[in-house]
Amino acid sequence: GAVVSQHPSRVICKSGTSVKIECRSLDFQATTMFWYRQFPKQSLMLMATSNEGSKATYEQGVEKDKFLINHASLTLSTLTVTSAHPEDSSFYICSARPGGAGEKLFFGSGTQLSVL
Amino acid sequence: DAKTTQPNSMESNEEEPVHLPCNHSTISGTDYIHWYRQLPSQGPEYVIHGLTSNVNNRMASLAIAEDRKSSTLILHRATLRDAAVYYCILRDADSGNTPLVFGKGTRLSVIA
């Protein structure tokens, strides 16, 4: 089946630094990818929709200048958490849907971000 | 997407069947019923989906009520690896390439 690869799986950083998370579709092209955030014991919350070659669409309440999304190719989307603070510590998950896969959405394995 | 209601948590003994219920009383005629699960520290994974008829695959079975206002995900023989949060999600047939909207799901614990 389709594979979505996400790196890194875990990152620890100091407050004020920026962190980049990569999401790759390994065996299919994805014009659209989705980024979610998940706090402990809570459900996934959609942050933004990443569109290849155009600007991302952010959900209400998500700061676009803080969570920079770049989707420069059909197989790669990146999420950069800029000037990270402890409240940004969370589990970040990307996903994509291959064309022809019907309704299935495939997810990366997630990135656990811890900001000290 | 129409709303679903699931129990917060359920518990099962290993190697016994598990029936995970989902209520969706406001489902529309074009809504598909999807199930995903999320293992600890992992991204979600697709389990099964259906429209009207019961569905079976290698992971699970999906039993859909005749009025479609409820459905049940059936794990025929639970293993410790099935411990996860199970999400029941409705999606319209014309949703296109839109994201999934997750509810709270059911946290399944499997006891050895």
Side-chain angles (χ1 to χ4, degrees), chain A residues 14-113:
Chain A
K14 293 182 179 179
S15 185
T17 59
S18 295
V19 174
K20 180 185 285 188
I21 301 170
E22 291 188 348
C23 182
R24 295 181 184 273
S25 56
L26 293 188
D27 50 1
F28 66 96
Q29 294 182 332
T31 56
T32 303
M33 291 185 177
F34 307 107
W35 287 96
Y36 294 83
R37 179 169 54 181
Q38 185 175 34
F39 293 107
K41 302 298 183 183
Q42 294 188 19
S43 188
L44 285 80
M45 295 295 296
L46 180 67
M47 297 177 65
T49 298
S50 171
N51 303 298
E52 188 267 335
S54 65
K55 292 182 179 180
T57 305
Y58 292 83
E59 296 299 301
Q60 190 173 9
V62 177
E63 300 175 57
K64 62 180 181 180
D65 294 330
K66 180 167 186 62
F67 298 99
L68 299 180
I69 290 174
N70 184 286
H71 195 153
S73 80
L74 288 171
T75 59
L76 175 64
S77 175
T78 60
L79 169 67
T80 301
V81 183
T82 62
S83 187
H85 287 93
E87 57 266 30
D88 299 323
S89 298
S90 187
F91 192 54
Y92 293 87
I93 307 166
C94 68
S95 67
R97 181 181 286 111
E103 285 294 309
K104 293 182 188 178
L105 193 62
F106 292 86
F107 291 82
S109 55
T111 298
Q112 182 63 53
L113 171 63

Side-chain angles (χ1 to χ4, degrees), chain B residues 7-76:
Chain B
N8 289 333
S9 62
M10 289 186 66
E11 201 172 80
S12 172
N13 293 319
E14 195 178 13
E15 300 193 3
E16 290 189 356
V18 182
H19 291 230
L20 297 165
C22 180
N23 288 321
H24 29 79
S25 58
T26 59
I27 190 170
S28 74
T30 55
D31 281 334
Y32 280 79
I33 302 160
H34 291 253
W35 284 82
Y36 282 75
R37 73 178 185 180
Q38 185 178 20
L39 302 173
S41 301
Q42 295 290 321
E45 63 176 347
Y46 168 84
V47 178
I48 201 166
H49 78 283
L51 183 63
T52 55
S53 302
N54 295 344
V55 184
N56 299 296
N57 66 22
R58 64 174 182 82
M59 288 182 72
S61 295
L62 176 59
I64 302 173
E66 197 168 331
D67 64 3
R68 300 209 325 124
K69 293 185 177 182
S70 66
S71 61
T72 302
L73 179 71
I74 302 167
L75 306 180
H76 295 286

